[in-house]
Amino acid sequence: MLSELLQGIESGGFLIIRDSCSYSGRDLLKSFITAALNREEVIHVLCFDVSEEELKDGLKPSDTQRFHIHNAYSDPLGWTGHPNFTAQQFSLEDLTNLVKQTSQPKPAVLVIDSLSWILRHKTPPAVCQTLQQLRKGGAVRAVIGLLHTDMHQRGTVGSVCHLATSLISVAPGVKGKEAVARVTKRSKSGKVMQDEEIFCIAEDFTVTILSKASHAEHKTNSTEEEQADPTANLTFNLRLSDSELEAKQKLTLPFVFSKEKKTALLYPGPGSGRILYEPDANDDYDQEDPDDDLDV
């Protein structure tokens, strides 16, 4: 599924790459930039986390007119008075004007490196509102954002990720430069597809899928746990023998209607208003003096 996303994000799509301090998702972000440039798409990058030189390192765009980096790293809060782009300008109007400054007529792919910086200086509802507006089309065709999950509360991460049409969570692999990608993709019909793949990234930022992450061992253990008898090691027995089960089935439970009561209720006839009483074996009833129990 990771290869499918690298081949192109549909119009109105919003892809989030989730990383943490244990594994950086920036190289994968550069892989998506490289793949988009190879498809001759127009790319606009909001660069907050790293400098423009560091972001360009290793990228070899064939046409620099389609690749635009907006430097928000040197002055992200506008303290110098002449900022290129600031976190406070993260709004639909400002982003639309920024993208339309170029001469490219077709909608662009907006890359945000990273959403975490914007979330530190703008409220999550404001950021989510702008992202939702960008998804509706206009100057921006699709959005790709990098999100550092360990910098935010779980509710903030969940709110932003809920807007994404595709979500990639990256983690370090077992060997060398290998990494694990947990991919979630939501289609327009509402269908959710999930996959987990082991991949590596080459120096030119091409992605190679090594294998699907294996869950065979986990499934085997789960099956064994399901088949295990939970009553095997108890000091008392919860199961009934055949004779005990037969005796239980023959047992007459209290407060069960007799055939006479059922017939009277289902087929009422003359005298159906009479009270039916079945004497109990423990009843203390004296026929000679029925009022003996009354204190007169």
Side-chain angles (χ1 to χ4, degrees), residues 42 44 65 68-70 83-85 89 93-106 108 139:
V42 180
H44 285 260
Q65 294 182 352
H68 308 275
I69 297 179
H70 306 283
N84 190 336
F85 190 84
Q89 290 178 284
E93 181 180 359
D94 290 332
L95 290 173
T96 300
N97 293 334
L98 187 70
V99 172
K100 286 185 176 181
Q101 288 177 4
T102 61
S103 59
Q104 298 292 337
K106 59 181 181 179

Side-chain angles (χ1 to χ4, degrees), residues 104-262:
Q104 298 292 337
K106 59 181 181 179
V109 175
L110 178 65
V111 178
I112 307 172
D113 183 10
S114 67
L115 282 167
S116 292
W117 182 273
I118 300 172
L119 287 168
R120 288 180 61 189
H121 299 281
K122 297 199 70 173
T123 62
V127 176
C128 291
Q129 182 181 12
T130 300
L131 291 172
Q132 183 66 16
Q133 291 171 339
L134 291 171
R135 285 188 53 193
K136 295 181 180 179
V140 176
R141 188 185 69 81
V143 179
I144 302 175
L146 182 63
L147 181 64
H148 311 311
T149 56
D150 47 6
M151 290 182 60
H152 311 283
Q153 296 180 354
R154 185 179 301 179
T156 301
V157 174
S159 299
V160 178
C161 292
H162 182 74
L163 299 175
T165 57
S166 300
L167 183 65
I168 303 175
S169 299
V170 292
V174 178
K175 302 178 182 178
K177 296 183 178 180
E178 292 182 2
V180 179
R182 297 177 179 87
V183 185
T184 302
K185 184 178 180 182
R186 302 182 181 95
S187 63
K188 292 182 178 180
S189 62
K191 182 180 179 181
V192 178
M193 296 172 289
Q194 293 182 327
D195 201 359
E196 189 169 327
E197 299 171 328
I198 299 175
F199 70 97
C200 66
I201 302 176
E203 292 183 359
D204 59 352
F205 299 108
T206 57
V207 176
T208 302
I209 306 299
L210 302 176
S211 64
K212 301 286 185 180
S214 176
H215 298 283
E217 183 178 353
H218 175 71
K219 292 181 179 178
T220 302
N221 293 337
S222 299
T223 305
E224 291 176 357
E225 291 176 0
E226 291 174 359
Q227 294 177 352
D229 186 0
T231 66
N233 299 320
L234 296 179
T235 57
F236 53 89
N237 187 16
L238 293 177
R239 300 183 183 277
L240 297 177
S241 63
D242 294 340
S243 59
E244 291 172 336
L245 182 60
E246 184 180 356
K248 177 184 175 182
Q249 293 174 347
K250 291 181 178 180
L251 181 65
T252 303
L253 299 176
F255 310 109
V256 175
F257 282 170
S258 63
K259 292 183 179 180
E260 184 182 359
K261 282 187 179 180
K262 290 181 179 179

